Amino acid sequence: MEEALVDWSRAQFALTAMYHWLFVPLTLGLSFIMAIMETIYVKTGNIKWKKTTQFWMTLFGINFAIGVATGIILEFEFGTNWSNYSWFVGDIFGAPLAIEGIMAFFLESAFLAVMFFGWQKVTKKFHLTATWLVALGANLSALWILVANGWMQNPVGMHFNPETARNEMGNFWDVLLNPTAVDKFLHTVSSGYVIGALFVVGVSSWYILKNRHIRFAKRSMVVGAVFGVISSLFIVLTGDSSGHHVAQTQPMKLAAMEGLYEGQEGAGLVAIGVLNPEKEVDNDKDPFYFKVKMPKLLSLLAERDADAFVPGMEDLVYGNTQQGILSTPKKMEKGDRALTALKKYNEAEEAGKDSLASAHLETFRANYPFMGYGYFDQPQETVPPVGLTFYSFHVMVILGFLFVLLFLLVIWFNLKDTILQKRYLLVAATWAIPLGYLASMLGWVVSEVGRQPWTIQDLLPVGVSTSHISASHVQLTFWLFAAIFTILLIAEISIMVRQIKIGPK
Amino acid sequence: MNFFKRVWNLYYEGFKNMGPVGKKLWLIILIKLFIMFAILRLFFFPDILEENFSSDKERSDHIINEISKP
């Protein structure tokens, strides 16, 4: 496939997915924070909590309205730019995405109306139920698309039909409960909760800095910070589980995340480090200019054993017989066998040569798990961009820990009732809002850049997934999307900022 | 008042009494949906396999040809 076409298709998908993701996490996080605030109102009957809930609900509404349907564009791209891939994934995406559509429509749209229009129309408890259901609906609709993404990272629960060239769902529960999908869902939604918390704490801090709505701000800030701490602990747990599963299913990604070229027993986790950009899998240069490692932690994360062996990129490319790791050239041979057998199977079927067809089918089935490797010319092509993956991962983790510290300090100084004097903390909390988005985006970069060159792990590389269309067409729509999404983002920020400046009633 | 009338009133009065921010957001939603479905989807994002082939058999043959080794 033409390189420019693949690159533009990839860039366009990255652009639209990342812009879409600018709107989603606040919806996920803020919806729960509003529901908690409204629960306090219903429990205490204190009208101030009602006003607090209504203010954050307005900001939620702005974000929801501007972000709604931005994900649909990704589905347009599947049909136009990624038709090979779309056909290949077959029914696997159909069921989860259909459920997402139904769930998002019925749960969110029905109860969203009650949430916004129903304050004077329904009972307090019914309204509260609607608010919780909106939060639940938003999070559940994220579940299905993340299940689909989890399947791409670790394809399970399906069998490939060589006559139709489609994957067919073998077991729905295997797809839904795929450990990669479960981790991905929990880790991703909890990053949304942290963004929601940072948003509430940051906006509240801004009010205090401006000496406006002080009581409202302190009230909101405490809820946001407590929710943020709980979500951050959850994100650490799900991140740990995610790292463990990545080690099992995508060891190359884990090696890139850690800049680990040579496998080690009792491998340490890099806390901070500067990579040597000249290091490649096929040279002997030192991978790092500088690094600080936490001993044995990577082995513990990957294998739940502090002394276990963690393969590096060189082990995965060139193989390691001692550790039972198959080399990429061997996988390429198997992949080549699968692809050749697929072609011959269909030719034999067409010619009515049944016994020959079943022999080719057997060869195909035996080598199918390595099919994607058959498309590569060089084993080094299976190494993802190491620098981008490594730095994205480490900056994300560092920011995540800084957010925990921020939330804890906010709670502590609120408890001591000295938060109004901590201007440095209030300024930091305000600036933490964009940093939260940055951390979340970097998480996606780790997830998606780290699994290159695959669209579907081990089965289909990106270069084979694209449609035969002109690169200039993709380039044109890339810039169209860039313009539309930028306008939407400017609209979101300007309406949001205006509403924040107006403040709570 | 029956259930359906109450639901109707909820929406009707909600939209009628909507503030300027709500109206602006609805305008943005409608413009966005129009651009997405009436312009982008229609003119820039055809379903390649749907348009170029008339049956699933043809689509399958095309993809097998695309993904398997020559």
Side-chain angles (χ1 to χ4, degrees), chain A residues 171-446:
Chain A
N171 187 329
F172 173 76
W173 297 106
D174 281 352
V175 175
L176 179 63
L177 301 174
N178 175 359
T180 307
V182 173
D183 282 334
K184 180 150 282 287
F185 170 67
L186 295 176
H187 197 60
T188 307
V189 295
S190 43
S191 80
Y193 303 159
V194 171
I195 287 184
L198 287 171
F199 182 77
V200 171
V201 172
V203 172
S204 305
S205 297
W206 183 80
Y207 281 130
I208 297 176
L209 285 168
K210 295 283 169 193
N211 206 19
R212 292 175 58 194
H213 314 295
I214 301 289
R215 284 187 191 161
F216 159 85
K218 286 174 73 178
R219 210 166 35 239
S220 298
M221 185 181 260
V222 170
V223 174
V226 171
F227 185 72
V229 168
I230 296 167
S231 305
S232 298
L233 292 177
F234 195 58
I235 223 172
V236 171
L237 291 176
T238 55
D240 170 71
S241 173
S242 193
H244 173 63
H245 284 118
V246 166
Q248 313 308 312
T249 55
Q250 298 171 298
M252 183 66 88
K253 184 198 275 187
L254 185 74
M257 283 159 67
E258 277 297 295
L260 184 70
Y261 283 83
E262 235 177 280
Q264 289 166 19
E265 284 174 354
L269 191 77
V270 177
I272 46 168
V274 178
L275 288 170
N276 176 356
E278 287 174 13
K279 172 66 184 165
E280 304 273 348
V281 282
D282 47 11
N283 69 32
D284 288 333
K285 296 193 171 159
D286 197 332
F288 284 92
Y289 285 139
F290 152 83
K291 66 174 181 290
V292 176
K293 265 192 170 184
M294 294 181 280
K296 296 186 184 272
L297 266 188
L298 183 60
S299 287
L300 197 62
L301 171 87
E303 302 297 333
R304 302 302 190 227
D305 173 357
D307 295 316
F309 179 81
V310 180
M313 286 171 263
E314 287 167 0
D315 300 279
L316 296 163
V317 170
Y318 300 116
N320 182 331
T321 39
Q322 210 181 347
Q323 299 294 335
I325 298 168
L326 201 62
S327 71
T328 301
K330 291 268 181 217
K331 291 180 184 175
M332 286 162 66
E333 276 172 32
K334 284 170 176 279
D336 195 60
R337 256 179 253 146
L339 292 171
T340 309
L342 176 64
K343 182 86 173 170
K344 287 187 174 169
Y345 165 75
N346 279 289
E347 283 167 359
E349 275 280 294
E350 198 87 0
K353 296 174 181 168
D354 290 346
S355 60
L356 191 61
S358 58
H360 287 310
L361 184 60
E362 204 177 313
T363 309
F364 173 74
R365 293 256 184 250
N367 294 287
Y368 178 65
F370 302 97
M371 186 176 98
Y373 289 91
Y375 297 107
F376 299 124
D377 296 320
Q378 299 294 328
Q380 293 86 341
E381 290 174 49
T382 57
V383 178
V386 180
L388 187 55
T389 311
F390 173 86
Y391 290 116
S392 300
F393 175 61
H394 285 82
V395 174
M396 174 191 76
V397 172
I398 290 167
L399 284 173
F401 281 107
L402 284 177
F403 298 152
V404 178
L405 181 67
L406 177 81
F407 292 136
L408 289 173
L409 288 173
V410 166
I411 294 170
W412 174 253
F413 289 123
N414 265 291
L415 284 173
K416 288 184 75 181
D417 207 15
T418 55
I419 190 77
L420 302 186
Q421 287 86 55
K422 307 295 173 192
R423 292 188 69 82
Y424 66 91
L425 185 63
L426 298 169
V427 171
T430 310
W431 281 105
I433 300 174
L435 291 179
Y437 282 94
L438 176 69
S440 190
M441 287 293 172
L442 292 177
W444 275 111
V445 171
V446 175

